[in-house]
Amino acid sequence: MLSLYRNQLKGVQKKVLLIGSGLMAEAVIDQLLKRNDNFVVVASAHVEDARKVIQNKQRCSAHHLDVTETEELRKFVQNSDIVIAYIPPQFIVGIAKICAEVGRSMITSQYTFPEIRALEQECKKKGIIILNEIGLDPGIDHLATVKVKDEVYAKGGKIIEYESWCGGVPSPEFCDNPFGYKFSWSPFAAIRNINNDAKYLENGVQKYIPASELLYSTEIIHVNPSLQMEGYPNRDSLPYQELYGLKDCQKLVRGTLRYQGHCVLMAAMKALGFASEDLIKVDREMSWFEYLLSNVRFESCSSKYLGNHHITQLANTIDQKVFTLAQLETLLTKVFNRVFSQYYYKDKSEEQQYKDAEQIVQTLKWMGVFDPKNLILNNVAHVHNFAAHLQTLMNYKQGETDLVAMQHIFKIVYPNDPRVYVKKSTMVKIGHRNGKSAMAITVGVPTAVATQLILDGVIKVTGVHMPNISEINTPLYEELKKEGIYCEEEDY
């Protein structure tokens, strides 16, 4: 296989190794193939996916590659001019180490791991760059933020507050499920993200939100006059004060955007244990109803939060051909005792709780929880079972489009001027009907453009980097603007 790979590359000037064949891969390939001197080798553990993604394309090939087979990986890297790593984060460090050893630059949209930072000196000695965090978020967010920061600082100003929000959701006309969400990237990674704690800066004080409270910690973000979303903090925002050079910031938060109502529903699913990392172990086939009944360990069979008449009303909305009213009442009592025991509901009225309860029951019905034919997976984590089930319900259908929204909000002051200026930097993109998703375009094109700039010698810096310095950001921003991928700025 590798000899065929060498033959295909014979005489080709630029050889790009793309490791991975997932949802973002095609956007990367198509962008790179705009240049006739590029040849793209797609290497993947799922070789059929790789073949599919290069179908009807010139100057590219598909190959099987198990990245845990170190020697085979090394051969692929050695026979390339540059490497793009588009695979799950647990494999990125191993690829980066081989790239540093062999002397090949590497680009990835993943966050910068400490083990990769440790390769800084080796990369400099080899004259290569490992460029991390170059996609949408992280990626375009860095470019937009550093651009505004540099302009403000050049005028002697200070940024005293900074917010960065980003999310991918279905276009409004295709938002047809209770969660208001569909998967344009890894379902498992998307669901697992709700298990992260969050840290950010508020009024100069570091704030911490445990994962158990994350989805209840939302605020309304006015992206534009026709688009209001809810946002919640994403992981640890604190390092970005130094990474962006925002030394004067009293507020600094990076967060995730979703349609309003998503977070309370997803928080309820989390309270029911669906996002747990614990392993499911059952000795027989089990329906979702049985799974939920056994997984919710709140033993009380009398409602602590909703009146019994409410429980009965909700149970009567569910088809009772399979389960009796008493069984349904027992399950719903346990469900709502668990959900409404969360701190978020401690000051909520019974009327507000009932309104949310109606939404939760509708969501469980939509998920097929009350259909005994729907079986859970065994010997997998609860979160994997949940993600796999939602993937069958929340994928994009042919002809549907997605929407990517990104917004940065800056509060700025200047010397001898008492006013506080507000600048918003916003990007909203809609995917192509029967074509690439907005998520794939806004992740894949920046990765490909950065790769090209490194190949062309425009980006010359070596070492381990993210796009937060002018030597990388300036040419990258200029090229992405030509592709229509940038944030529009507005002063208030």
Side-chain angles (χ1 to χ4, degrees), residues 183-221:
F183 296 111
S184 56
W185 63 302
S186 165
F188 177 66
I191 299 297
R192 201 175 188 185
N193 270 353
I194 67 175
N195 289 332
N196 293 317
D197 301 330
K199 297 177 183 178
Y200 62 97
L201 197 65
E202 182 79 51
N203 295 322
V205 177
Q206 293 184 10
K207 299 289 186 178
Y208 168 75
I209 300 177
S212 59
E213 300 177 11
L214 181 69
L215 292 170
Y216 297 121
S217 305
T218 62
E219 60 180 286
I220 301 301
I221 305 300

Side-chain angles (χ1 to χ4, degrees), residues 115-381:
E115 299 92 332
I116 293 181
R117 288 197 189 98
L119 301 172
E120 168 81 8
Q121 293 307 315
E122 188 172 0
C123 288
K124 286 188 172 182
K125 286 178 184 176
K126 295 286 176 63
I128 64 167
I129 181 174
I130 294 181
L131 181 57
N132 308 275
E133 305 189 32
I134 182 58
L136 171 62
D137 176 6
I140 297 171
D141 54 343
H142 299 331
L143 301 178
T145 298
V146 174
K147 176 182 179 292
V148 172
K149 187 268 292 187
D150 287 347
E151 291 171 352
V152 169
Y153 280 31
K155 297 175 184 176
K158 296 178 180 180
I159 296 172
I160 58 172
E161 291 189 11
Y162 167 75
E163 301 173 47
S164 176
W165 303 96
C166 185
V169 293
S171 300
E173 64 270 36
F174 302 116
C175 186
D176 54 8
N177 68 65
F179 291 107
Y181 188 77
K182 293 183 180 181
F183 296 111
S184 56
W185 63 302
S186 165
F188 177 66
I191 299 297
R192 201 175 188 185
N193 270 353
I194 67 175
N195 289 332
N196 293 317
D197 301 330
K199 297 177 183 178
Y200 62 97
L201 197 65
E202 182 79 51
N203 295 322
V205 177
Q206 293 184 10
K207 299 289 186 178
Y208 168 75
I209 300 177
S212 59
E213 300 177 11
L214 181 69
L215 292 170
Y216 297 121
S217 305
T218 62
E219 60 180 286
I220 301 301
I221 305 300
H222 300 270
V223 179
N224 63 35
S226 62
L227 184 59
Q228 277 195 153
M229 306 182 80
E230 62 185 18
Y232 61 90
N234 181 21
R235 305 193 191 200
D236 188 358
S237 299
L238 300 176
Y240 289 90
Q241 185 165 28
E242 180 179 349
L243 290 169
Y244 289 154
L246 298 174
K247 57 184 183 295
D248 303 300
C249 254
Q250 296 299 298
K251 177 179 182 178
L252 191 151
V253 59
R254 289 164 50 85
T256 298
L257 292 175
R258 294 289 183 260
Y259 284 132
Q260 292 181 62
H262 169 92
C263 291
V264 165
L265 271 181
M266 193 58 77
M269 302 300 113
K270 186 175 177 180
L272 296 176
F274 291 176
S276 167
E277 300 281 354
D278 294 338
L279 203 64
I280 297 174
K281 279 195 171 293
V282 293
D283 56 7
R284 61 179 177 82
E285 285 190 341
M286 182 176 284
S287 71
W288 269 82
F289 182 90
E290 294 173 295
Y291 162 68
L292 186 55
L293 194 60
S294 62
N295 193 49
V296 180
R297 304 195 185 283
F298 203 110
E299 298 302 329
S300 172
C301 288
S302 62
S303 177
K304 294 179 62 175
Y305 298 94
L306 286 181
N308 288 332
H309 65 291
H310 282 148
I311 296 291
T312 301
Q313 284 177 348
L314 292 166
N316 275 320
T317 69
I318 302 167
D319 190 342
Q320 294 169 28
K321 291 178 182 176
V322 177
F323 304 107
T324 67
L325 178 62
Q327 286 176 311
L328 294 169
E329 287 176 333
T330 298
L331 176 65
L332 294 184
T333 297
K334 294 179 73 174
V335 163
F336 296 126
N337 281 349
R338 170 61 68 87
V339 171
F340 295 144
S341 68
Q342 306 300 304
Y343 91 99
Y344 172 78
Y345 287 100
K346 66 183 177 67
D347 297 321
K348 303 289 185 184
S349 67
E350 186 174 333
E351 182 182 357
Q352 290 172 308
Q353 290 180 13
Y354 183 70
K355 183 179 178 182
D356 281 0
E358 287 183 305
Q359 288 295 314
I360 292 167
V361 169
Q362 287 300 319
T363 301
L364 293 175
K365 288 164 63 176
W366 171 81
M367 286 174 59
V369 165
F370 304 106
D371 182 347
K373 296 176 185 176
N374 285 330
L375 304 178
I376 64 166
L377 302 176
N378 195 12
N379 292 314
V380 300

Side-chain angles (χ1 to χ4, degrees), residues 7-20:
N7 290 336
Q8 287 171 319
L9 296 180
K10 187 176 181 181
V12 177
Q13 187 178 2
K14 305 288 174 64
K15 297 160 284 188
V16 182
L17 173 61
L18 172 60
I19 303 176

